[in-house]
Every structure is written in C-alpha cells, then in structure tokens.
Amino acid sequence: MPPVTPDAPGEGTPRGTAAGKARRWGSLARQALAGERESRGAPGCRATMCELYSKQDTLALRRKHIGPSCKLFFAADPIKIVRAQGQYMFDERGEQYLDCINNVAHVGHCHPEVVTAALKQMELLNTNSRFLHDNIVEYARRLSATLPETLSVCYFTNSGSEANDLALRLARQFRGHQDVITLDHAYHGHLSSLIEISPYKFRKGKDVKKEFVHVAPTPDTYRGKYREDHADPAGAYADEVKKIIEEAHNSGRKIAAFIAESMQSCGGQIIPPAGYFQKVAEYVHRAGGVFIADEVQVGFGRVGKHFWSFQMHGEDFVPDIVTMGKPMGNGHPMACVVTTKEIAEAFSSSGMEYFNTYGGNPVSSAIGLAVLNVIESEDLQGNATRVGDYLTELLNKQKAKHTLIGDIRGIGLFIGIDLVKDQQKRTPATDEAQHVIYKMKEKQVLLSADGPHRNVLKIKPPMCFTEEDAKFMVDQLDEILTVVEEAIGAKSESVTSENTPCRTKMPNEAQSELLSEGTSDPRENPSRKRNGLCTDKHSLLSKRLKT
C-alpha cells in the first residue's frame, strides 16, 4: 500500500488522476484547518492527529456514555481513527489503513473542495429551508439532471432513514393504500417505520412481522430459491412478488409500494437478474402501488457506467420514487427523496405541510454541489468502472485459486466476495469470514462482512480507490486465504485419520464480533451444526488461524 506521509503528500503517489489528487488532499485540508485548531487549543493536537483522550480512556467513556447497542467496527479490538484523507484512514499512532468500507466518504475523506465549500458557506449563512435561497434550488436542478425526466421533484432530509420514511408517506398518500412489499434480508433504515419493513433487523429481534408488510424472496441467483441455472430467474422471482400481491388482494389488502435497494447491500451484495425490476414494477403498478428504489448505499456513480444503480436495468425501467443519502454529502448528513410531479401533488393535496428544519439548508446544498462537481471533474464514475473491472478480474483469479471463494459478484466499486466451506454445496463460511476481516485489519486493510450468514466480504471504498489499492488489497487477501485453507486442509486430514466428528473453533475476537452484532452464538445455530465444524478447543485450525 503506497504510504501517504503527512509531510510529503506527493510522495508515493500511485498513477491516475484520482489517486494523485487524493495524496494532496491531506496537505490542503490541514492548511485550511490549522488556524482553527490552534485557536481552539485542543489538548493532544499534533501536526498529524488530534486526541482528547487515550484510546483506553475513549473506550471507557464510550462504555459509560454511549448506548450499548451502538456497536463499533472490529468490536473485539476497535481501531481509534483520528484522521483520514482520500481512501486512507489513520489511527492515533499514525498507522495508515486502506479503507474498503466507507461508501459514505464517497469522493474521498476530507476532500479539499468539499471542505472548502462547507467552510465558505458556513461563514456566510446557514439557516432553515423555509427562507428563499439559491443553493437548494440549484442543487435540486443539478440532481434532477442526473435522473430520468419524470423524476423531477425533490424533498431534502438529513439521512437515508428519513428519506425512506418520507418515501413510504408519499407512496401511501398517493392512492390511499397501506401495504408494503419488501425483500428478505433488506435494510432500509433505523426509524420504527423502516424496521417494520427491514427483515435484516426485525428477524434478528423479537418483533413480529406486521400484517401490512409482505416479504418477497431476495433475487439471489447464487444462493437463493432460483439460481443461475434456472431458465428465467428474473421472471421466477418476479412471479413471487405477483403471488404476494394476489394473496394480499384476496385478503382485502392493497399494495402501496414495493421497496428495494437497486443492489442489496446488507443482504450480501446481491445484484438482481436482468429484467426483474421491470416485471416487478409492472405487477406493482397494476396493483395501484409505486416502485421505490433505495439508492442510499449504491447511488452517485458507484456502479461506474451509470450514475444511479437502477439505471443498469435499462432505460425501460424508471422507479416512481428514488431515495438517496450516505454518499450525497461525503460524510455530511444529507439525503433526499426524488419523485414524480403526480406523486408530489398527491402528497400536497393532503393539506399537511412537509417541513424539515435542516433538510437542504444552504451548507448542506453547497456540500452536495461540491460532491457533484468532484464526481464529474475527477471522472470518478470512470474510475469506478476501470478500477472495479480490474479488481473484479483480480478477484476472479483468486476464486480460481481458493476453494473458500464461492462467488465474486458486483459492479463498479460495489463488490461482494462470498466465502464458502464447500463450493458445490455453497455452505456459508461465516467463521472464516470473521477471521479474514480481522486478519485484513492486521494488514491495515479495512473490510466488513455481511449478508444473512455474515459470510460475504463487502468492498465499497471511496471512489478515488486506485488500481494499486486494489492490487494491495487482493495480495493481502490471497495471503490470508492461503493460510486459512492450509489450516483447513490439515484439519481435514486430522479428522480423517481420527475418524471423529468435530467442529472448528472460531477465533475469540471474531466470535466476539459476531455476538456483539446481535447474531446468535454460532455454537447454538442448528444450520452451522449441520455444516460440521469442529468445536474442539485444541483443533488444529483454531491454532493455525491465530498464527
């Protein structure tokens, strides 16, 4: 991984426009903020980082004052991040990490153009959106220009959760229907209205699915009900939605909306088969409902060839409502709902005013405009295509080499690595995935694992990610998988010779991570017992994984 040195931002710069600019950001941002830091006089400030407390004190204060359900990445051994630039993050010791997690810092951490836009507007004015101001209308105009012509009316919010909640209100007001169809394993936000339609959440807790919520199978052609060998997986999965609609109507219920991420993220980086959304939209419209495309995680050029992920399904598919958030403000809280004039007018006809104090405020809009400018000026869509294709090529070579890799799927800089214990049975390698992300962290690469079985490595880095970054990440993954597979092979030989059933013990830190995220103890999970892992605390695999 090329070093980003605080005092020499130009040194070690990989090839490529986005990469070169990323290396210069740290110096520019520090110059802009140096005066403010000095005047503030924060204790522990240095040229490269700023700490109020030691890591242990920060952890103690977090345990005391932050809700216990607010989890950290790498909970068993969290990283204290104090600074970031481009696609790199730095801990309190100055150690550099390659960020493959952050789809929020879309154009790169602390991009100087975004920082400058925020500072300038904050010095001039920030107020609520009920005052007439140019920024909000200019941003709405620019944003609408990236979407199909019918999607032209904007409602600004502060988070993707707010945006999805508002989208449900719009859908229900449109024709007076109430029911919502969602996909299995979906996550659409943390508000009560969204937990109700997010199986990713409500199936982990004690909540019972509400009668107005209908769960359709995830259109997963690798591990789902209809796979890649099916003659028409798109049609088969869409027919499942059609069946849900028919059953709802037979029960006297009416469908207000079908909601789905254009590419499912928390569900395991799932790319719907071509034609699926078109067929679903046809059935939903026929039932008097609307189609909501959730682009909160996957929008703003992440797929490369298109600005919005739903556009990869073809020009004949246009959602009725699109929600967006995370990357919109590059870390600044900013989100939006965009819909048609017809739906917006139906919402207004209720007589209830929609007002959001901070949604679309002058500072947020200035930041949003800066993000759009950077995406265009630095050709980050093109970078997503080039680097994404290169990364996918490297990963497919690893798939041919490593038995632990069952599937590589994704588009642009949104890629999933599905780890399996058995490529034929496609048995999820949950324990191994948790081990891998901790070992990658030790090699200063930040990854996460998700999906229903927590076995899919998610790659969704800042859009300035380079080919050199991709190569470095894959090289580290190759080394780790090689060690794990050697350990598994040795364990298999041991089991064969002793002819005794066993299960491998998951490393303690990875087990803590699983339990801290609210998943059940894998030792209690019947599906994992069927996978035949070894629980013997002296197992060879457990010993080898910790080396």
Side-chain angles (χ1 to χ4, degrees):
M1 177 169 52
V4 178
T5 55
D7 298 320
E11 294 179 9
T13 300
R15 298 182 302 276
T17 303
K21 290 187 177 181
R23 298 306 187 279
R24 295 191 290 274
W25 296 350
S27 176
L28 294 172
R30 281 193 303 280
Q31 289 173 23
L33 296 175
E36 189 272 336
R37 281 180 172 175
E38 288 177 11
S39 64
R40 187 175 61 203
C45 272
R46 300 189 294 278
T48 57
M49 61 202 70
C50 183
E51 285 188 273
L52 290 174
Y53 306 101
S54 69
K55 181 176 178 178
Q56 290 307 313
D57 287 345
T58 302
L59 282 168
L61 285 167
R62 184 180 177 95
R63 284 192 292 268
K64 181 177 180 180
H65 295 297
I66 306 301
S69 56
C70 301
K71 304 300 182 182
L72 289 166
F73 281 128
F74 311 105
D77 182 25
I79 307 171
K80 184 177 182 181
I81 296 297
V82 299
R83 185 172 67 85
Q85 64 184 77
Q87 62 273 46
Y88 301 108
M89 305 181 84
F90 301 84
D91 68 14
E92 79 281 6
R93 299 167 300 170
E95 293 292 332
Q96 174 182 308
Y97 294 86
L98 178 61
D99 182 4
C100 302
I101 293 175
N102 250 303
N103 59 334
V104 179
H106 192 63
V107 300
H109 293 279
C110 303
H111 194 292
E113 290 187 34
V114 178
V115 172
T116 299
L119 288 172
K120 285 184 176 180
Q121 186 57 53
M122 288 179 75
E123 289 177 341
L124 188 63
L125 170 71
N126 197 24
T127 186
N128 69 59
S129 54
R130 297 182 77 167
F131 290 102
L132 188 65
H133 196 273
D134 288 343
N135 284 10
I136 188 171
V137 295
E138 174 61 7
Y139 186 72
R141 184 189 70 82
R142 288 278 303 277
L143 189 65
S144 298
T146 68
L147 290 156
E149 188 175 358
T150 55
L151 294 167
S152 60
V153 183
C154 301
Y155 295 87
F156 291 101
T157 67
N158 306 290
S159 72
S161 291
E162 281 189 55
N164 281 330
D165 177 76
L166 178 57
L168 292 181
R169 289 177 59 190
L170 290 169
R172 285 170 168 154
Q173 176 65 30
F174 185 48
R175 299 198 191 280
H177 300 176
Q178 290 298 311
D179 288 26
V180 177
I181 302 173
T182 186
L183 294 177
D184 203 3
H185 313 306
Y187 174 64
H188 294 290
H190 61 80
L191 277 68
S192 295
S193 62
L194 304 173
I195 296 296
E196 291 173 347
I197 64 165
S198 297
Y200 179 81
K201 288 292 185 181
F202 72 64
R203 288 189 172 174
K204 287 185 177 180
K206 297 179 180 179
D207 296 332
V208 177
K209 182 176 74 65
K210 302 296 191 293
E211 61 180 2
F212 57 81
V213 176
H214 310 276
V215 180
T218 303
D220 178 359
T221 58
Y222 178 70
R223 186 174 277 106
K225 186 175 182 179
Y226 308 108
R227 301 186 175 184
E228 71 276 6
D229 57 352
H230 191 280
D232 181 18
Y237 279 117
D239 285 345
E240 295 282 342
V241 176
K242 181 181 179 182
K243 181 180 177 182
I244 287 172
I245 294 171
E246 291 171 349
E247 291 175 350
H249 284 180
N250 291 338
S251 301
R253 309 198 65 86
K254 295 181 179 180
I255 303 299
F258 172 90
I259 184 170
E261 290 182 278
S262 301
M263 301 187 295
Q264 203 173 43
S265 180
C266 290
Q269 312 294 85
I270 304 300
I271 316 298
Y276 171 71
F277 279 166
Q278 283 92 333
K279 288 181 169 65
V280 168
E282 177 187 340
Y283 300 147
V284 171
H285 289 156
R286 195 184 301 166
V290 301
F291 193 111
I292 303 172
D294 181 342
E295 292 267 340
V296 170
Q297 295 218 47
V298 296
F300 291 88
R302 180 157 292 278
V303 296
K305 293 180 180 179
H306 303 283
F307 201 82
W308 303 104
S309 295
F310 73 79
Q311 291 171 322
M312 68 185 181
H313 295 278
E315 294 182 0
D316 59 336
F317 170 66
V318 178
D320 303 291
I321 301 173
V322 177
T323 60
M324 55 198 75
K326 293 185 191 300
M328 194 172 183
N330 207 53
H332 178 85
M334 186 178 186
C336 187
V337 179
V338 186
T339 189
T340 65
K341 186 176 181 181
E342 182 184 11
I343 291 174
E345 289 178 346
F347 187 58
S348 179
S349 69
S350 70
M352 183 186 294
E353 176 188 9
Y354 174 74
F355 169 55
N356 190 311
T357 304
Y358 297 109
N361 68 72
V363 170
S364 293
S365 297
I367 289 171
L369 286 165
V371 171
L372 292 180
N373 290 339
V374 172
I375 292 172
E376 182 178 352
S377 66
E378 297 187 8
D379 188 28
L380 293 184
Q381 269 188 261
N383 190 64
T385 297
R386 291 186 294 272
V387 178
D389 288 350
Y390 176 66
L391 177 54
T392 300
E393 178 185 346
L394 292 179
L395 290 172
N396 277 317
K397 290 179 180 177
Q398 293 300 311
K399 178 186 174 184
K401 177 180 179 181
H402 294 290
T403 57
L404 271 170
I405 299 179
D407 190 35
I408 303 295
R409 51 182 177 262
I411 300 173
L413 288 175
F414 182 86
I415 298 171
I417 307 171
D418 198 311
L419 298 187
V420 298
K421 297 177 184 298
D422 185 301
Q423 289 185 337
Q424 296 301 315
K425 297 178 180 178
R426 303 184 180 185
T427 312
T430 302
D431 299 355
E432 290 81 355
Q434 299 308 307
H435 173 76
V436 166
I437 63 173
Y438 271 89
K439 284 299 181 183
M440 289 292 280
K441 185 195 72 168
E442 290 178 10
K443 291 179 176 289
Q444 296 173 275
V445 178
L446 304 181
L447 283 175
S448 62
D450 219 325
H453 307 283
R454 297 289 305 280
N455 70 304
V456 180
L457 305 182
K458 298 168 64 174
I459 304 173
K460 46 188 181 66
M463 295 274 281
C464 51
F465 203 72
T466 68
E467 290 186 359
E468 287 80 1
D469 296 324
K471 180 67 164 57
F472 178 79
M473 188 214 80
V474 173
D475 285 347
Q476 309 317 302
L477 182 64
D478 180 22
E479 290 181 16
I480 292 168
L481 291 179
T482 298
V483 172
V484 173
E485 289 172 349
E486 286 176 356
I488 291 172
K491 185 264 307 187
S492 298
E493 292 176 7
S494 175
V495 170
T496 301
S497 63
E498 296 177 14
N499 196 27
T500 55
C502 65
R503 294 179 71 231
T504 54
K505 180 181 177 184
M506 179 169 43
N508 290 335
E509 59 185 11
Q511 181 168 317
S512 298
E513 178 84 356
L514 277 173
L515 296 178
S516 72
E517 290 295 329
T519 43
S520 58
D521 187 333
R523 293 171 296 187
E524 302 298 325
N525 189 323
S527 67
R528 295 205 180 103
K529 288 179 182 178
R530 288 194 298 270
N531 291 343
L533 293 172
C534 180
T535 53
D536 180 0
K537 65 181 180 181
H538 301 297
S539 73
L540 180 58
L541 177 58
S542 180
K543 293 177 182 177
R544 290 290 296 276
L545 290 183
K546 293 179 181 179
T547 59

